[in-house]
Amino acid sequence: MVYIIGSHENTEVVYALDVATGARKWAFTTTSEFFVSSSPAVVDGAVYLGSANGVLYALGATDGSKNWVFDTSDWTFPEGGWSFSSPAVADGVVYFGSESGILRAMDAVNGTEKWASRIGHVIESDRLPTVVGGVVYASGSEAVYALDAATGTHKWAFTITTDGGSVSSSPTVAGGTVYFGSSDGALHALDAATGSRMWTYTTGDHVSQPSVVGGTVYFGSRDKNVYALNAATGTMKWSFTTGNSVYSSPAVVGGSVYVGSDDRKVYALNPGTGAEKWSSTTGGAVESALVVAGGLVYVGCNDGNLYALDAATGAGPSSSSPSGTSPDRRK
């Protein structure tokens, strides 16, 4: 099944759809009257999601039944805005952040809180913590943090120092390096152990969450380009220009880079050269990260549809079937 968070009649709804046909298997509606852009995490038969009502849900992946819920009691809308980051699950623990600037670790089976650590800055709803080597890396509004995954103890923090700059993506960790984008148009590379800056590459606008594969870091920018850089040095290998902003995080699978754009298209690019293999037109801006599985590319679109495209050719449905929902804009 493929799982998405959408909105329907001003409520949050989680959908489980058949991967081959798009047929709805089940739907779960939260108690929130608002919609956040967090993404569900599906691990070991459970779906974990944060809601704008301040609750973390753990649902059965097969039928949408509640396994457990955790109320943070720190929901502050409208003063504080949306309340949850996308959850990450590693080694039986669920990690998630909130608008209040608190990062939490929960037992994935029973929902017991293991620790809660204040990092001091807002954790946006479209930010996903990353857990690597016993360390959890998380993006606040003004800094990226590294915390001990077992205790929540702070290890280091890297703060954006440019005027008006802020963190614009989740952190991606690969090869001992933390990569993340900022609103001043920069992609930053930090030493994962110390948080010291290794290099910075500057584009023309906000940077999306990077993907790192085979020594290359791929990312989009609202300057309308997709970039590929040498992951060790930050030297540009190639760039590809789309017709509008690129907020989507690229997916690099099976010899192709898949990415969406606000120009209403999904692109498949050659990872070595950036040459276009194919493009497929949707009915709206594509700001979500793409998921590639089983020869299909799954695309959440701002036209209210989830698309499944052939990964090799870009072929999709002959016509979209409006579902009355709005897929998660970020994943």
Side-chain angles (χ1 to χ4, degrees), residues 217-266:
V217 55
Y218 304 90
F219 64 98
S221 170
R222 290 187 182 178
D223 69 3
K224 303 182 181 181
N225 289 295
V226 181
Y227 293 89
L229 311 181
N230 182 295
T233 65
T235 304
M236 188 176 75
K237 292 185 173 184
W238 54 258
S239 64
F240 175 84
T241 303
T242 73
N244 209 324
S245 300
V246 181
Y247 191 92
S248 173
S249 175
V252 187
V253 179
S256 292
V257 179
Y258 302 95
V259 67
S261 171
D262 280 0
D263 65 3
R264 301 188 173 192
K265 289 184 178 181
V266 176

Side-chain angles (χ1 to χ4, degrees), residues 122-142:
V122 170
I123 304 174
E124 302 287 354
S125 62
D126 62 344
R127 305 300 158 77
L128 176 71
T130 300
V131 185
V132 176
V135 179
V136 55
Y137 302 88
S139 296
S141 58
E142 299 175 13

Side-chain angles (χ1 to χ4, degrees), residues 1-330:
M1 290 191 283
V2 56
Y3 302 87
I4 59 170
I5 299 178
S7 62
H8 180 64
E9 297 178 352
N10 296 322
T11 59
E12 289 179 321
V13 185
V14 184
Y15 298 92
L17 310 177
D18 183 275
V19 294
T21 66
R24 184 181 302 179
K25 295 288 191 178
W26 56 260
F28 176 86
T29 302
T30 75
T31 61
S32 174
E33 296 179 358
F34 307 97
F35 174 60
V36 295
S37 54
S38 64
S39 301
V42 186
V43 179
D44 294 334
V47 180
Y48 302 93
L49 65 135
S51 170
N53 62 8
V55 174
L56 180 72
Y57 293 91
L59 308 177
T62 57
D63 59 6
S65 60
K66 280 192 221 179
N67 292 343
W68 52 262
V69 298
F70 178 80
D71 190 342
T72 66
S73 299
D74 63 2
W75 184 57
T76 56
F77 184 87
E79 290 81 8
W82 309 123
S83 59
F84 266 78
S85 75
S86 300
V89 185
D91 299 323
V93 180
V94 184
Y95 301 89
F96 68 98
S98 63
E99 180 78 12
S100 62
I102 296 175
L103 187 70
R104 286 183 168 89
M106 315 291 301
D107 186 286
V109 176
N110 57 35
T112 302
E113 184 178 88
K114 290 180 170 290
W115 53 258
S117 182
R118 182 174 293 280
I119 63 175
H121 294 99
V122 170
I123 304 174
E124 302 287 354
S125 62
D126 62 344
R127 305 300 158 77
L128 176 71
T130 300
V131 185
V132 176
V135 179
V136 55
Y137 302 88
S139 296
S141 58
E142 299 175 13
V144 171
Y145 300 85
L147 295 85
D148 185 281
T151 66
T153 303
H154 287 231
K155 298 177 75 68
W156 55 256
F158 179 88
T159 302
I160 298 294
T161 57
T162 56
D163 291 339
S166 62
V167 179
S168 63
S169 81
S170 304
T172 297
V173 184
T177 304
V178 180
Y179 304 90
F180 72 96
S182 56
S183 62
D184 58 3
L187 181 77
H188 303 270
L190 311 178
D191 184 286
T194 65
S196 59
R197 188 199 307 266
M198 298 176 65
W199 54 259
T200 298
Y201 182 88
T202 302
T203 74
D205 210 328
H206 287 61
V207 170
S208 73
Q209 181 176 351
S211 299
V212 183
V213 176
T216 301
V217 55
Y218 304 90
F219 64 98
S221 170
R222 290 187 182 178
D223 69 3
K224 303 182 181 181
N225 289 295
V226 181
Y227 293 89
L229 311 181
N230 182 295
T233 65
T235 304
M236 188 176 75
K237 292 185 173 184
W238 54 258
S239 64
F240 175 84
T241 303
T242 73
N244 209 324
S245 300
V246 181
Y247 191 92
S248 173
S249 175
V252 187
V253 179
S256 292
V257 179
Y258 302 95
V259 67
S261 171
D262 280 0
D263 65 3
R264 301 188 173 192
K265 289 184 178 181
V266 176
Y267 296 89
L269 309 176
N270 183 298
T273 65
E276 182 179 325
K277 292 186 171 184
W278 55 256
S279 63
S280 181
T281 301
T282 67
V286 178
E287 296 185 346
S288 73
L290 310 183
V291 175
V292 184
L296 295 177
V297 182
Y298 298 93
V299 183
C301 182
N302 287 359
D303 66 357
N305 287 289
L306 178 70
Y307 292 81
L309 308 177
D310 186 287
T313 66
S318 56
S319 62
S320 60
S321 300
S323 60
T325 64
S326 297
D328 178 349
R329 296 179 64 187
R330 294 335 193 245

